[in-house]
Amino acid sequence: MIFKMKNMLFFVFCCFSSISFYGQQTLLKGSVIDADTFESIERVKVTIEGTEIIVFTNVLGEFEFNADVPLGEQVLLISKLGYLSKRFPVTVNQGNTVNITDMTLEKDASNTDDLFLITLSDDELNADTSGADNISGLLASSLDVFQRTVAFEFSASFFRARGLDSNNGAILINGIEMNKAFNGRPQWSNWGGINDVLRNQELASGWSPSSYSFGRVLGTTNINVRASQSRPGGRVTYSSSNRSYSNRIMATYGSGLLKNNWAYTVSIGRRWGDEGYQHATLYSSNSLYVALEKKLSDDHSLNFTGIYTPNRRGKSSPNTQEVYDLKDIKYNSYWGWQEGNKRNSRIKTVIEPLFMLNHYWSISKKTDLNTNVGYQFGKLSNSRLDYNGTDLIDNIPQGGGSNPSPTYYQKLPSYFERNFPDNPGLAYLALKEFQRDGQINWNAMYQANIDNSKNGGNAIYALYDDRVDDTQLTINSILNYAINDNVLLNVGINYSSLKSENFAQVEDLLGASTYLDIDPFTNSIDDAQNDLLNPNRVVRVGDKFKYHYYIMSTSLKAFAQGQFSYNTIDFFLAGSVTNTNYQREGIFKNGGFPDNSLGIGEKLSFTGFGLKGGITYKLSGKHVFNGNAGFISRAPFIQNIYSNSRENHNVVPNISEENILSFDATYLLRSSIVKAKLTGYFTQIADANQIAFYFADGVGGDNSIFVQEILQGIDKKFFGVELGVEAQVTSTIKLKGVVAMGQFTYDNNPNLFLTTEPNEASKEAGFVDGFKDFGTSNLKNYRLGNGPQNAYSFGFEYHDPDFWWFGATANFFSRTYLSINPLTRTSNFNLDFDGNPFPDYDEELAKELLRQEQFDNYIAINLIGGKSWKLGKYYLGLFASVNNLLDEVYKTGGFEQRRNANYRELRDDQALETPVFGSKYWYGRGTTYFLNLNLSF
């Protein structure tokens, strides 16, 4: 009895102790509102200075510290992008609650981060050359000075973060992945011109955990375009530039969450210009964005988003050094005069509307489920000139025209210097003619077509589009479950289905009315047929011709991730599995491949796995250490699956999943004056492959044939260090410095195959049924031609209390390399047509011929500045930037032409003062400007 009573008394004591303890719990809480609108601000970062304790405000603008709250006099630091940070002193006593409600934050009218975003995504990200794939995961500025610098200072030099292109970073909108199945890259222009609604972004760099996706080695960026979470109010913007477009106007309005639980956001815009920095690079783009959200209850919300951004722009050409020397870096060979106007023959058009429906379900305080459906369709087209139009005479195709490109090698002075050395006058005449004009002669093509039509013939010249019409459906669900205060579980499943129609379409017959749809470069009339089901077909404007096929792709992905957070240590572990299927369906029966082009091809299936993890050790509020590692095997992208999908079903030999292994380690320093981040990284890509198309001279002797080059089993290695430092030396002056040093190389000697049509020319060159194995290509330790491998930046910013600011940055770039020709690094390089080595082969000269070109180092000076005014409840902002102030001329990339395939061809060409088939280059822009004026309300 006494024992039972003691137990009861003990139980009661414990209960009262617990109640007493609860009542004496130390709490620090409060709320944050906008100083002008008095509305709650979500996702405000609240930090207790001198500690690593951080919380964020909820949708009501509220926050609470309820564990490990330090006692005594403390300082709260509240901050959010777009607002001026504030410090609030508080006194915390044991067992008391400190409640600071309605702390105010004022908008930072001098904030330039969103203005940088405008510059970046409208300009560099709209390019489609390989050099523009350098900004994966860096759509907006972050608080990380290194990533800001890479995005806004290094982008014009086509610097790639860690040497990797954009297919190694995942871009999502409302949890739906935007990377294309064709090449793994996002189609940036699909959401160009709607910058104001793309600000809510969650960036997980590298292998860092993301709640939306397993991610990729460069990281994951999710763009949140929920109507209820868009910034309430409106903005009208006008911009002027000489980069991609001349003018831009945008208008955006967001309602915020209304009393009837509806929210909407609308954005419209237009960008246009007759030409950008390069000649005749026209730009015409419209944009429309609509988001509508209904909060069905406290637990359910439904959001619809529609994005329609049709755009059309003129491309610019890479050129040899001979061409640049005769013209300048603004020269573009793709255009010519027609009726007093510049007409570009290479126009890229993208019209791919995107619709999304998102359901947000808060199952409980600890669990939420996000289910998304995305549907995208439309077209992507690239125009080009055809000059092989023919007529049938005695059932034999005859005709064809000369190459209309003004930089065709037979029109340049170097051609005459090589082939007519005893008649220098010919080279001189070619030089003067190119300097005088040097553009496409549209009138000559029209006249040739008209004359041939009068004689009953077809078009000799035609303008056509290479079209890709994609239809894609994506469905996914993402579950987030907070097991407790320390453990968060993320689980996701994603299904996508793509049907991609590929064909050529007649755009303009240039004065003629018909075109004969055959390939004149064949042995027989049957082989010449692009479609044996419609032999000798005559096509007109709007008809499909040359090739027509579908690629079907399905993908099923699943991932699971656990995130663990404690006072001094955070860590995570994630895994993924992906099944990807491809299949080709030919609509045309190609004459060169009559048994392997029509109908359904082989179904290809790939299974990929991923595993990643990381740990963060918080030594103190100032010193943090982080390490991440991951491995992923992924299916090859569509562009690297088929050797020549336009003509046949043939698949790359020994095709397999690509494997990526990567890890990094980071040290972070955060003090009241200095913020620094130092990272070392290593990435290895194995079992990759790539396909190229070109004419080659000297393949198996003296033959010149059109080939598809398959480079199989490529290994690449990337390693380096990254350092970013910024110091707030005074209340108005900030210094910043960045270092990016890397080494990006081929890490093995992959196999090289060539394929072509099985005809007499290919048989003479040693091809068997259109296929030839050239063995290994000796690429190991050659540098990758992917932009500067080293980059350095130093600058300052001055922010005046009267809301004007100015900044300058000096950026230094080095170790930029030319992309090399793999075929010249095979045994074909030193073998004669009989398979024996060239008797005049000079090994020392060969080494010099195969030495990789390294570009000159250069410095680019960039300036920014602006002023802002508060006009009642309105904000007026003026921003200006000047890039490459000193008009530095520099090469950003280029490639060795594939034409010279063996030692003799390359030796004889390089012996000339100006090689006929010299390397082609891209040059950076000279001095450019961007001017932006916006009104916010």
Side-chain angles (χ1 to χ4, degrees):
M1 182 71 178
I2 295 175
F3 179 77
K4 289 183 178 180
M5 185 172 291
K6 285 183 177 179
N7 285 344
M8 184 175 294
L9 289 172
F10 180 76
F11 175 76
V12 173
F13 175 79
C14 289
C15 288
F16 276 103
S17 298
S18 299
I19 294 171
S20 176
F21 175 78
Y22 182 80
Q24 295 177 2
Q25 186 177 7
T26 305
L27 295 176
L28 176 55
K29 62 182 183 179
S31 61
V32 184
I33 61 174
D34 188 289
D36 295 309
T37 65
F38 301 108
E39 294 181 353
S40 302
I41 309 177
E42 185 183 5
R43 296 293 295 172
V44 176
K45 182 180 179 182
V46 186
T47 307
I48 301 177
E49 276 195 354
T51 75
E52 66 270 19
I53 304 175
I54 299 171
V55 297
F56 291 88
T57 59
N58 58 22
V59 292
L60 301 176
E62 299 170 343
F63 67 91
E64 181 176 306
F65 296 94
N66 55 19
D68 301 319
V69 182
L71 303 179
E73 294 183 356
Q74 306 295 332
V75 176
L76 290 183
L77 175 64
I78 59 175
S79 59
K80 181 179 174 68
L81 190 66
Y83 289 85
L84 295 170
S85 299
K86 280 190 176 182
R87 301 169 74 248
F88 288 85
V90 296
T91 301
V92 182
N93 295 317
Q94 176 70 44
N96 291 341
T97 297
V98 180
N99 189 1
I100 308 177
T101 60
D102 294 342
M103 292 187 292
T104 60
L105 278 183
E106 296 179 351
K107 288 186 175 67
D108 182 2
S110 66
N111 175 55
T112 60
D113 290 330
D114 56 351
L115 297 171
F116 277 128
L117 169 63
I118 292 168
T119 308
L120 179 69
S121 60
D122 275 351
D123 186 16
E124 279 79 17
L125 295 186
N126 272 335
D128 68 340
T129 61
S130 59
D133 299 315
N134 55 334
I135 327 217
S136 173
L138 296 172
L139 285 173
S141 109
S142 71
L143 298 180
D144 183 340
V145 64
F146 181 85
Q147 292 177 339
R148 278 205 313 271
T149 301
V150 170
F152 307 134
E153 304 290 350
F154 294 170
S155 61
S157 295
F158 301 109
F159 174 87
R160 294 186 185 183
R162 302 190 180 182
L164 301 169
D165 70 22
S166 59
N167 63 33
N168 290 290
I171 306 295
L172 294 79
I173 297 181
N174 278 6
I176 298 175
E177 188 167 310
M178 294 290 107
N179 297 67
K180 290 285 190 178
F182 175 73
N183 56 17
R185 299 168 180 159
Q187 181 63 54
W188 308 109
S189 54
N190 276 342
W191 54 86
I194 57 171
N195 311 78
D196 285 337
V197 298
L198 302 179
R199 304 178 189 281
N200 294 331
Q201 302 177 16
E202 298 178 51
L203 170 64
S205 60
W207 284 129
S208 299
S210 167
S211 300
Y212 303 93
S213 169
F214 179 83
R216 303 188 183 190
V217 65
L218 265 183
T220 303
T221 298
N222 180 64
I223 305 172
N224 185 341
V225 293
R226 288 183 65 177
S228 65
Q229 296 185 7
S230 294
R231 186 181 73 88
R235 173 180 288 203
V236 177
T237 302
Y238 171 77
S239 305
S240 176
S241 177
N242 66 339
R243 297 175 184 172
S244 292
Y245 53 80
S246 301
N247 303 278
R248 183 192 64 178
I249 188 167
M250 288 194 314
T252 302
Y253 183 79
S255 69
L257 189 61
L258 303 173
K259 293 181 179 179
N260 59 2
N261 287 329
W262 281 93
Y264 65 87
T265 304
V266 178
S267 182
I268 59 174
R270 173 161 175 75
R271 294 164 292 164
W272 72 97
D274 291 334
E275 63 183 11
Y277 186 79
Q278 276 79 26
H279 296 307
T281 49
L282 66 92
Y283 201 106
S284 178
S285 173
N286 299 311
S287 57
L288 173 63
Y289 165 91
V290 177
L292 186 64
E293 183 173 355
K294 172 64 174 178
K295 187 177 180 182
L296 304 174
S297 67
D298 290 339
D299 301 327
H300 295 272
S301 187
L302 199 62
N303 185 89
F304 167 80
T305 303
I307 300 174
Y308 179 57
T309 58
N311 58 88
R312 183 172 179 267
R313 65 177 184 82
K315 293 184 178 182
S316 59
S317 60
N319 301 301
T320 63
Q321 193 59 51
E322 176 185 14
V323 171
Y324 284 119
D325 290 342
L326 294 175
K327 292 289 189 175
D328 57 35
I329 64 171
K330 291 186 177 183
Y331 173 73
N332 180 12
S333 67
Y334 292 157
W335 69 275
W337 292 101
Q338 183 180 354
E339 297 180 351
N341 298 312
K342 292 180 179 180
R343 183 178 183 182
N344 195 320
S345 64
R346 299 287 187 98
I347 302 294
K348 180 174 183 177
T349 303
V350 181
I351 305 176
E352 293 187 319
L354 171 64
F355 301 102
M356 292 180 289
L357 189 64
N358 314 100
H359 176 245
Y360 302 91
W361 179 16
S362 180
I363 300 174
S364 69
K365 291 184 177 179
K366 293 186 176 183
T367 309
D368 62 75
L369 180 67
N370 175 205
T371 301
N372 311 293
V373 178
Y375 180 72
Q376 188 168 29
F377 63 96
K379 75 169 186 176
L380 187 155
S381 68
N382 290 278
S383 67
R384 61 189 304 125
L385 285 168
D386 181 283
Y387 53 94
N388 295 316
T390 56
D391 301 314
L392 280 182
I393 300 176
D394 296 329
N395 211 33
I396 298 174
Q398 296 185 20
S402 60
N403 191 324
S405 171
T407 58
Y408 181 56
Y409 75 99
Q410 293 184 10
K411 298 179 182 180
L412 295 175
S414 58
Y415 172 78
F416 296 95
E417 290 173 0
R418 176 173 180 174
N419 293 280
F420 305 96
D422 297 329
N423 192 350
L426 295 176
Y428 178 78
L429 290 175
L431 183 148
K432 288 301 180 182
E433 175 62 22
F434 186 74
Q435 289 179 329
R436 183 190 66 80
D437 184 10
Q439 303 299 152
I440 290 174
N441 191 335
W442 290 98
N443 292 333
M445 289 188 290
Y446 270 89
Q447 193 60 53
N449 281 357
I450 292 170
D451 291 344
N452 201 49
S453 296
K454 288 179 180 179
N455 295 324
N458 302 299
I460 300 171
Y461 298 93
L463 184 71
Y464 71 96
D465 285 334
D466 286 314
R467 280 276 296 273
V468 180
D469 289 11
D470 284 352
T471 302
Q472 180 163 321
L473 174 68
T474 303
I475 304 172
N476 69 17
S477 278
I478 304 165
L479 177 72
N480 297 304
Y481 172 49
I483 298 176
N484 54 44
D485 291 341
N486 305 109
V487 182
L488 176 63
L489 178 66
N490 314 114
V491 179
I493 187 168
N494 181 93
Y495 170 79
S496 65
S497 175
L498 168 70
K499 187 173 185 179
S500 178
E501 184 180 11
N502 298 258
F503 56 91
Q505 184 176 46
V506 181
E507 176 71 19
D508 190 343
L509 289 177
L510 309 178
S513 57
T514 59
Y515 181 96
L516 181 62
D517 185 22
I518 62 172
D519 178 5
F521 301 104
T522 53
N523 299 322
S524 69
I525 191 61
D526 286 339
D527 290 348
Q529 301 300 323
N530 288 322
D531 184 12
L532 284 168
L533 301 180
N534 295 281
N536 302 329
R537 185 169 67 119
V538 173
V539 295
R540 301 176 184 274
V541 172
D543 289 343
K544 298 173 183 177
F545 74 136
K546 289 186 178 292
Y547 63 92
H548 188 191
Y549 66 95
Y550 288 91
I551 296 290
M552 281 74 72
S553 171
T554 60
S555 175
L556 182 62
K557 307 176 184 178
F559 86 97
Q561 177 176 263
Q563 300 184 58
F564 305 84
S565 179
Y566 299 94
N567 289 339
T568 58
I569 293 180
D570 298 339
F571 62 93
F572 77 94
L573 186 66
S576 72
V577 61
T578 304
N579 179 255
T580 305
N581 298 294
Y582 300 119
Q583 195 164 31
R584 180 187 183 275
E585 179 184 4
I587 306 303
F588 284 180
K589 186 176 183 179
N590 186 274
F593 303 90
D595 301 321
N596 192 33
S597 55
L598 182 66
I600 300 293
E602 175 189 3
K603 185 175 183 179
L604 307 173
S605 183
F606 302 89
T607 300
F609 300 91
L611 182 67
K612 68 176 183 177
I615 186 169
T616 299
Y617 174 60
K618 295 166 280 188
L619 179 63
S620 67
K622 293 183 178 180
H623 306 282
V624 178
F625 299 87
N626 172 264
N628 299 297
F631 170 82
I632 189 170
S633 64
R634 66 183 185 185
F637 302 119
I638 292 174
Q639 70 172 356
N640 294 323
I641 289 287
Y642 299 96
S643 60
N644 189 2
S645 57
R646 293 183 175 182
E647 295 186 349
N648 55 63
H649 294 316
N650 291 339
V651 176
V652 169
N654 307 314
I655 192 73
S656 66
E657 291 83 1
E658 181 178 300
N659 299 306
I660 302 176
L661 172 68
S662 181
F663 56 84
D664 60 57
T666 298
Y667 164 67
L668 288 164
L669 170 64
R670 298 181 297 196
S671 72
S672 58
I673 297 177
V674 178
K675 295 180 182 178
K677 180 180 179 182
L678 175 64
T679 299
Y681 62 87
F682 174 87
T683 301
Q684 185 176 52
I685 298 177
D687 302 320
N689 61 282
Q690 65 186 38
I691 299 175
F693 303 82
Y694 54 88
F695 273 99
D697 288 336
V699 176
D702 298 326
N703 300 284
S704 176
I705 55 178
F706 183 76
V707 298
Q708 298 86 48
E709 177 189 275
I710 304 169
L711 202 59
Q712 175 66 39
I714 309 168
D715 293 351
K716 301 176 183 179
K717 182 168 61 179
F718 310 78
F719 65 89
V721 293
E722 301 170 340
L723 173 65
V725 181
E726 58 182 349
Q728 193 74 47
V729 294
T730 71
S731 60
T732 57
I733 297 177
K734 179 190 292 185
L735 301 180
K736 54 185 180 179
V738 161
V739 174
M741 298 177 64
Q743 182 168 301
F744 318 134
T745 60
Y746 288 102
D747 201 35
N748 74 331
N749 296 320
N751 294 319
L752 189 145
F753 311 94
L754 294 184
T755 65
T756 188
E757 288 198 11
N759 51 35
E760 291 301 321
S762 63
K763 288 180 181 179
E764 292 176 4
F767 286 72
V768 178
D769 294 327
F771 181 87
K772 187 173 183 180
D773 185 350
F774 284 80
T776 58
S777 179
N778 298 308
L779 301 184
K780 188 171 183 178
N781 296 324
Y782 274 102
R783 299 293 183 111
L784 298 173
N786 54 3
Q789 301 199 359
N790 289 352
Y792 311 86
S793 178
F794 179 76
F796 75 92
E797 294 177 8
Y798 172 80
H799 287 251
D800 193 89
D802 289 332
F803 299 109
W804 63 271
W805 67 98
F806 173 77
T809 308
N811 306 287
F812 177 77
F813 302 92
S814 65
R815 297 201 173 184
T816 307
Y817 296 87
L818 189 73
S819 293
I820 60 175
N821 176 6
L823 182 57
T824 55
R825 274 77 182 178
T826 67
S827 59
N828 182 77
F829 183 69
N830 65 331
L831 297 182
D832 208 340
F833 69 93
D834 57 2
N836 295 314
F838 289 114
D840 53 351
Y841 186 80
D842 185 324
E843 190 169 340
E844 290 302 316
L845 177 58
K847 288 181 179 180
E848 181 62 24
L849 292 172
L850 298 180
R851 183 175 58 86
Q852 187 174 18
E853 181 181 351
Q854 179 178 345
F855 300 156
D856 293 337
N857 304 336
Y858 59 94
I859 296 177
I861 307 294
N862 300 333
L863 303 179
I864 61 168
K867 170 68 176 173
S868 56
W869 300 265
K870 184 178 179 182
L871 309 173
K873 292 186 178 181
Y874 295 84
Y875 290 89
L876 182 64
L878 176 66
F879 171 79
S881 69
V882 177
N883 280 16
N884 195 7
L885 177 68
L886 303 181
D887 203 24
E888 183 83 5
V889 176
Y890 58 90
K891 296 174 182 175
T892 62
F895 55 91
E896 294 177 353
Q897 290 201 66
R898 299 315 213 255
R899 192 71 180 243
N900 295 312
N902 64 33
Y903 169 76
R904 280 181 177 167
E905 295 287 345
L906 186 59
R907 178 199 62 190
D908 295 346
D909 196 34
Q910 292 294 317
L912 300 172
E913 182 177 350
T914 305
V916 176
F917 297 109
S919 299
K920 289 195 173 183
Y921 304 100
W922 284 283
Y923 273 82
R925 296 175 179 140
T927 302
T928 61
Y929 76 91
F930 179 82
L931 185 66
N932 191 84
L933 182 67
N934 67 77
L935 179 67
S936 300
F937 53 91

